[in-house]
Amino acid sequence: MTVPSVEAVIEILQRLVAFDTTSHKTNIPCAEYVRDYLAGHGIEARILPADDGIHANLFATVGPDAPGGIALSGHMDVVPVTGQPWDTDPFTVVEKDGRLYGRGTCDMKGYLACVLAVAPELKRRRLTRPFHLVFSYDEEVGCTGVKPMIAEFGRSLPTPEIVLVGEPSRMAVVDAHKGGYRFRTEVIGKDAHSSKPQLGVGSIMIAAELITELKRIEERLKAKLHSARFDPPYASISVSAIEGGIAHNIIPPRCAFSWGVRALPGMDTLAIKRELDAFAERALLPAMRAVSPDCSITTELLGELPPFYSGEASPATTLALKIAGQNETYAVPYGTEASHFQAAGCSSVICGPGDIDQAHQPNEFVEIAELERCLAFLDRLARYAEARHAEA
Ligand SMILES: [Zn+2]
């Protein structure tokens, strides 16, 4: 087998970048391009349409019809370019000084292009275990798109034994990241003229009490729960938006705020919500209900990406370290789909080309040298999968 040239990767990358797959737009033409490209090399891919009618996942298997196997996973969507000062057209790959500029070149169409360039070579090999191409949508809006595909593992789709997620890590082996949880708390108070505060319940004041309680909870987490692998080394809580109020002379009847937790592996994040609920029930609601029985405080979980921890000795980490020729693993602050794969019982790890610092930025780029390193990694991986055949 010959390692595909980086020129072949760049050609595919140009095609992928030309599809504006910003998360809220359709990615179906992009998925169809991938399907047709693979079909041209004798690989059958399945497009799995989403319920919303504008998105789709893609799943393809190369190699033997055997259980387990290695999944190469990435997302097709990209973050918006709106409001960003780009020097070139974000949807055209521009090569300059060993770098390829364009939206998604780094996060993470560069990886998809490497995988697609290698796929025909995988097809030609006598593999002992299958490779699965697992391409998803809506990663950039909370890693939600991959979930329906994972739900089909063990049903209409095979369950990979190992999942390699190609998020930008400069080809370092990443075995852990924090989780992200998003909540929204709504306070229903009681309106009244602000000259008669005893007749009303000011929802904004109540919200302030709740936010202060969240701050107290965070201080306690900071003091108690530490993991030096992460920066910052504790779980953090942030309030990101707040709305409420009508006029200066009206006690505000409603206030809502959004907040989130960046969670460490192993912690029970939903306990924070339970603690806030208990605080509301104990410290706030009795006095509120004494004024009006309709007062309430409700907190809703809007989205969750569990913390990811594969572990240094996991099958995925062991394989990635061996193939990459490295002996150290890393933890990263950003979230990925690896959480969902790991939670579904697939041993997962992150290893992909490009630097996360370039992701989501104007003038996003990936270095050609990074794509070459990724190609070499995938080539060694394919040889490993074939070598095991010879051993057997
Ligand atoms: Zn990404």
Side-chain angles (χ1 to χ4, degrees):
M1 134 154 183
T2 48
V3 185
S5 69
V6 80
E7 284 72 28
V9 176
I10 295 173
E11 214 177 292
I12 297 168
L13 184 57
Q14 281 164 342
R15 297 293 302 273
L16 292 175
V17 168
F19 295 104
D20 175 1
T21 53
T22 307
S23 303
H24 66 271
K25 297 183 180 174
T26 181
N27 77 319
I28 292 175
C30 180
E32 286 172 344
Y33 159 73
V34 173
R35 179 196 60 196
D36 295 347
Y37 165 88
L38 291 170
H41 294 281
I43 300 164
E44 196 190 328
R46 288 174 60 184
I47 287 186
L48 310 159
D51 290 339
D52 66 9
I54 63 164
H55 293 111
N57 287 311
L58 180 137
F59 191 100
T61 298
V62 191
D65 183 14
I70 300 168
L72 304 172
S73 170
H75 59 85
M76 292 177 273
D77 61 318
V78 295
V79 293
V81 295
T82 322
Q84 291 189 334
W86 280 75
D87 295 334
T88 57
D89 173 12
F91 299 107
T92 304
V93 173
V94 175
E95 184 178 340
K96 195 169 174 265
D97 304 328
R99 294 169 169 181
L100 300 166
Y101 290 87
R103 173 52 87 223
T105 49
C106 174
D107 183 15
M108 59 183 288
K109 290 176 171 174
Y111 177 74
L112 299 185
C114 289
V115 170
L116 291 172
V118 167
E121 298 299 333
L122 291 174
K123 174 80 180 164
R124 276 192 277 276
R125 286 175 181 272
R126 293 183 60 213
L127 301 169
T128 52
R129 34 160 68 180
F131 275 82
H132 307 290
L133 276 47
V134 182
F135 292 5
S136 63
Y137 65 92
D138 273 4
E139 192 272 349
E140 298 293 5
V141 288
C143 296
T144 52
V146 76
K147 286 169 92 171
M149 180 155 52
I150 291 175
E152 287 303 312
F153 285 1
R155 301 157 86 161
S156 66
L157 299 173
T159 307
E161 182 196 351
I162 285 175
V163 180
L164 303 178
V165 177
E167 282 284 337
S169 73
R170 294 199 76 89
M171 296 308 292
V173 177
V174 171
D175 69 344
H177 65 62
K178 284 186 181 177
Y181 290 71
R182 294 184 298 120
F183 298 93
R184 186 175 164 82
T185 298
E186 186 182 44
V187 180
I188 301 295
K190 169 101 177 68
D191 51 357
H193 195 283
S194 55
S195 64
K196 299 252 182 176
Q198 71 279 19
L199 301 180
V201 175
S203 59
I204 296 176
M205 295 281 243
I206 300 291
E209 300 259 14
L210 291 161
I211 291 169
T212 306
E213 180 64 12
L214 285 175
K215 188 74 200 149
R216 272 195 291 268
I217 295 171
E218 190 196 38
E219 290 300 331
R220 214 185 52 231
L221 289 174
K222 259 190 201 178
K224 268 191 180 167
L225 195 63
H226 269 257
S227 173
R229 297 191 74 197
F230 293 95
D231 179 24
Y234 51 85
S236 55
I237 300 177
S238 58
V239 176
S240 53
I242 186 163
E243 46 167 305
I246 298 167
H248 80 278
N249 55 2
I250 300 176
I251 301 281
R254 183 187 162 277
C255 180
F257 61 94
S258 307
W259 55 283
V261 181
R262 293 280 171 175
L264 288 175
M267 70 178 269
D268 178 7
T269 308
L270 295 181
I272 296 174
K273 177 192 178 300
R274 290 196 297 273
E275 201 176 329
L276 190 71
D277 288 343
F279 170 77
E281 201 58 55
R282 185 179 70 243
L284 302 173
L285 282 163
M288 293 166 70
R289 288 187 187 125
V291 179
S292 163
D294 295 333
C295 288
S296 64
I297 298 171
T298 45
T299 295
E300 193 189 346
L301 176 67
L302 295 184
E304 65 178 305
L305 181 68
F308 165 61
Y309 181 65
S310 182
E312 281 174 43
S314 77
T317 308
T318 307
L319 176 67
L321 286 173
K322 180 188 165 90
I323 301 297
Q326 299 172 18
N327 53 22
E328 204 178 338
T329 61
Y330 297 87
V332 294
Y334 54 89
T336 77
E337 302 175 331
S339 300
H340 294 312
F341 289 113
Q342 187 76 26
C346 309
S347 181
S348 306
V349 77
I350 299 156
C351 184
D355 194 318
I356 197 70
D357 285 353
Q358 268 89 55
H360 303 194
Q361 298 294 313
N363 301 323
E364 174 180 350
F365 67 85
V366 69
E367 293 159 44
I368 294 173
E370 282 289 303
L371 298 181
E372 284 170 336
R373 290 176 67 204
C374 182
L375 271 183
F377 176 91
L378 294 172
D379 178 55
R380 284 194 297 274
L381 185 65
R383 269 188 281 149
Y384 164 80
E386 197 177 45
R388 281 170 58 108
H389 186 87
E391 283 163 22

